[in-house]
């Protein structure tokens, strides 16, 4: 008899199910790197301008603070003031990285967790043997045969993502490999999400809010003007996002 079942005196079968499941989940978060030793009025003015020009990029997105270039913010009081300003702008800051001077109790009091860089892995099952770190997961390409609507998020964690249709403003595409859009790309497209710098983005018409490869991104106001509304190939070269008009 299976351990998942027990038979009572009347012969009926009762299913015993777990109260919860533990699963790994890939999370796309924005990283706000502070490149000044303090957050002054000029800093917030520039931030407000960015929020005005690309509001959908930040809307509802979890955010991590990177303080590698801002040692002056690695103390409780200045960091608390920074968080108050950011959260008053509806920025959902949940973590911080490169802030080794702050201990766990201080971070917890500020509603933050320490975030380390690197690729997340699925939580292993106790009964399953752990796979070798040298063996990559099998490719699982995803094809979407419909337009992607605003608010939708489509992800291919272990392969390429192809959309046969347009991608609306406010939609998001995320892929471990390449992204292909056979239509107009108006939303966000993030290829090479696990750090693959050889990933590419192809779209029939470029009108995106954001494009990114391996974490390097450009927003709508910085896209190459020559590529706008054209069939475009996007790739990385010398740590720079390049855009090549195909036709």
């Amino acid at each position: 008899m299976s351990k998942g079942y027990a038979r009572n005196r009347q012969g009926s079968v009762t299913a015993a199910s777990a109260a919860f499941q533990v699963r790994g989940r890939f999370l796309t978060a924005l990283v706000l790197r502070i490149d000044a030793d303090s957050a002054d009025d000029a800093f917030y003015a520039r931030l407000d301008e960015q929020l005005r020009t690309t509001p959908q990029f930040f809307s509802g997105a979890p955010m991590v603070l990177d303080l590698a270039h801002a040692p002056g913010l690695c103390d409780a009081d200045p960091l608390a003031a920074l968080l108050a300003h950011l959260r008053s702008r509806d920025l959902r800051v949940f973590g911080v990285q490169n802030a080794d001077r702050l201990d766990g109790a201080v971070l917890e009091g500020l509603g933050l967790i320490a975030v380390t860089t690197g690729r997340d892995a699925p939580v292993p099952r106790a009964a399953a043997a752990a796979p070798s770190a040298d063996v990559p997961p099998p490719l699982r390409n995803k094809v979407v045969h419909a337009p992607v609507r605003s608010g939708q998020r489509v992800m291919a964690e272990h392969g390429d993502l192809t959309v046969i249709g347009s991608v609306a403003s406010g939609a998001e595409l995320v892929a471990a490999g390449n992204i292909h859009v056979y239509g107009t790309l108006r939303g966000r497209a993030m290829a090479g999400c696990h750090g693959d710098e050889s990933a590419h983005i192809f779209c029939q018409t470029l009108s995106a809010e954001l494009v990114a490869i391996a974490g390097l991104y450009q927003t709508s106001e910085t896209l190459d003007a020559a590529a706008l509304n054209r069939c475009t190939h996007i790739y990385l070269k010398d740590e720079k996002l390049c855009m090549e008009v195909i036709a």
Side-chain angles (χ1 to χ4, degrees), residues 148-230:
V148 181
R149 299 187 300 273
S150 180
Q152 282 188 294
R153 184 171 184 263
V154 183
M155 185 168 185
E157 289 195 49
H158 302 296
D160 294 353
L161 174 59
T162 300
V163 177
I164 304 174
S166 295
V167 179
S169 177
E172 184 174 274
L173 308 180
V174 183
N178 306 311
I179 292 177
H180 305 259
V181 178
Y182 293 96
T184 301
L185 172 58
R186 296 188 179 90
R188 294 179 281 185
M190 291 170 277
C193 65
H194 295 313
D196 182 3
E197 297 183 359
S198 67
H200 300 255
I201 298 173
F202 302 88
C203 62
Q204 197 167 26
T205 304
L206 178 64
S207 185
E209 296 164 349
L210 176 141
V211 291
I213 295 176
L216 293 177
Y217 70 89
Q218 288 188 18
T219 56
S220 56
E221 70 272 14
T222 59
L223 295 177
D224 187 346
L228 289 176
N229 301 311
R230 305 286 298 276

Side-chain angles (χ1 to χ4, degrees), residues 49-108:
E49 178 62 24
Q50 181 71 59
L51 293 173
R52 282 192 296 271
T53 55
T54 56
Q56 292 175 323
F57 176 48
F58 295 93
S59 178
M63 178 175 286
V64 174
L65 297 179
D66 183 351
L67 302 182
H69 298 166
L73 295 173
C74 291
D75 291 309
D77 289 342
L79 182 57
L82 172 64
L83 287 172
H85 278 284
L86 297 178
R87 288 168 175 167
S88 71
R89 291 161 169 81
D90 201 29
L91 297 177
R92 302 184 180 186
V93 184
F94 75 94
V96 63
Q97 60 187 31
N98 297 311
D100 297 337
R101 283 163 41 190
L102 295 166
D103 62 28
V106 172
L107 294 180
E108 184 177 355

